[in-house]
Amino acid sequence: MRILLKHADRSRERRAFTLIELLVVIAIIGVLIALLLPAVQSAREAARRAQCTNNLKQLALALHNYVDVNSVFPASALNVRDWPSATLTRENTSVFVRLAPYIEQQNVYNSMNFNLRWIHGENTTVAGAGNSVLWCPSDGEVSNTQGITGIYRVPSGTVVPQAYTSYAASVGTWYLRLSPSADGALYAGRKNSLNGVIFHDSTVSMADIRDGTSNTIVMGEHGHAYLDAASINSYHFWNSGFHQDTMFESYHPINPHRRGITGLSSAFPRQASSFHPGGAMFAFADGSVKFLKDTIDSWTIDPATGDPVGTAWDSSVRHYRFVPGARIPVYQALTTRKGGEVISADQF
């Protein structure tokens, strides 16, 4: 009996893992994590992209509500006197401040003095009023409000809280900073050369979009976190009517930094870009939101002139023009309101 019990006790003895077995298990777990990680990252990006789509849909709806009330799309900026006593006119606040009542920021709208420029000390309370509808979740730095100095007209050393935006209004193929007092007789011609929907001093109605609302971009992304450490706090102010902050042009292709285009410098903040793999999100005048790929048909920059092929700068009138007979690529055509281009849905 004792022998049987002793044998039974030995049968219950546990055998530990050997070092080799342990290493094999760890290796298997590592392989499984490596296989699952891309799927997890892909799922997270899909969720972020869905939220970005929703943000742009809300902005497109806000634009439609604005048009219903005012009959025209909001301007990206309107001119006011640089100082109350000055004769020179410059841009005041951004399109997003004009849309504030339609994106649940009526109190912010009420705080803005539209007779003064956005940089005036009286309007600094608006600067830090962030809104998550203006932040793409893939754009990691954009939701961080920063304290800045030296830009607003406030006592030296005053720190102003500043909020930012991942989105911008479409001014068309190129941007021009307009000022009736500075441009004089050239003002009307310069304004007429702007071919987007939302630009400086614009008054574009739905009827003015002759290319079709489903083929005309009104808003898009510009990746704030792409800016380098020296400039990231100085661009994309949500409340600013300055072109580097809340407007984009199709002068360069989507995500030009991925296309090997050099010499962008300060022009980069006003180009369409995003952190979504392969392209960027855009809102159209019909209220739809579409993802446009980096590979969409777009013009190239002539390295000799720095201008897109098919365009030229006319110094006599101080604005860009298309070279007669030039082909307008699909991406640039989508940003014009009345270019007369015929674009099918399978082209973008």
Side-chain angles (χ1 to χ4, degrees), residues 31-300:
V31 170
L32 290 174
I33 291 174
L35 292 173
L36 290 173
L37 191 58
V40 172
Q41 291 175 334
S42 179
R44 287 178 177 174
E45 170 54 26
R48 291 192 290 262
R49 181 167 153 176
Q51 181 59 51
C52 182
T53 300
N54 184 59
N55 288 346
L56 280 167
K57 281 186 176 292
Q58 290 187 59
L59 291 172
L61 177 61
L63 286 172
H64 276 248
N65 289 335
Y66 185 98
V67 172
D68 287 343
V69 174
N70 299 280
S71 301
V72 296
F73 285 89
S76 63
L78 293 172
N79 278 291
V80 296
R81 286 183 297 177
D82 198 27
W83 281 101
S85 60
T87 57
L88 183 67
T89 57
R90 287 299 186 197
E91 67 281 333
N92 65 355
T93 196
S94 75
V95 61
F96 298 118
V97 176
R98 299 180 210 290
L99 291 177
Y102 308 101
I103 52 175
E104 300 182 356
Q105 283 189 309
Q106 182 67 53
N107 60 323
V108 173
Y109 184 87
N110 294 340
S111 300
M112 185 72 193
N113 185 337
F114 290 91
N115 294 317
L116 300 174
R117 291 188 67 198
W118 63 276
I119 62 173
H120 197 282
E122 187 175 318
N123 286 326
T124 56
T125 55
V126 174
N131 189 332
S132 60
V133 77
L134 300 178
W135 304 333
C136 171
S138 293
D139 192 358
E141 301 293 326
V142 72
S143 60
N144 297 333
T145 299
Q146 301 292 336
I148 62 170
T149 60
I151 293 178
Y152 287 90
R153 290 174 176 170
V154 292
S156 178
T158 302
V159 177
V160 177
Q162 180 64 58
Y164 300 88
T165 175
S166 297
Y167 306 111
S170 173
V171 300
T173 51
W174 46 66
Y175 171 82
L176 294 176
R177 189 181 189 186
L178 301 177
S179 171
S181 61
D183 295 329
L186 298 178
Y187 171 79
R190 283 167 59 81
K191 180 179 177 181
N192 189 57
S193 73
L194 295 171
N195 50 27
V197 175
I198 301 171
F199 52 89
H200 205 144
D201 280 357
S202 64
T203 53
V204 177
S205 67
M206 282 288 184
D208 293 326
I209 304 176
R210 300 174 194 170
D211 289 344
T213 55
S214 62
N215 284 335
T216 305
I217 294 171
V218 290
M219 284 196 176
E221 295 185 81
H222 58 194
H224 179 64
Y226 278 126
L227 300 176
D228 59 37
S231 58
I232 191 168
N233 294 340
S234 302
Y235 291 109
H236 298 166
F237 294 3
W238 88 277
N239 55 311
S240 164
F242 190 58
H243 60 285
Q244 309 286 51
D245 292 318
T246 51
M247 309 172 213
F248 83 93
E249 61 187 5
S250 59
Y251 191 88
H252 290 93
I254 301 170
N255 289 312
H257 57 291
R258 299 176 187 169
R259 302 281 290 267
I261 296 175
T262 59
L264 287 169
S265 186
S266 61
F268 179 73
R270 64 177 186 268
Q271 309 306 317
S273 62
S274 87
F275 285 87
H276 306 303
M281 306 295 299
F282 295 87
F284 285 70
D286 65 349
S288 64
V289 176
K290 300 181 179 70
F291 182 79
L292 300 186
K293 296 180 180 178
D294 291 344
T295 54
I296 189 172
D297 179 39
S298 183
W299 57 28
T300 57

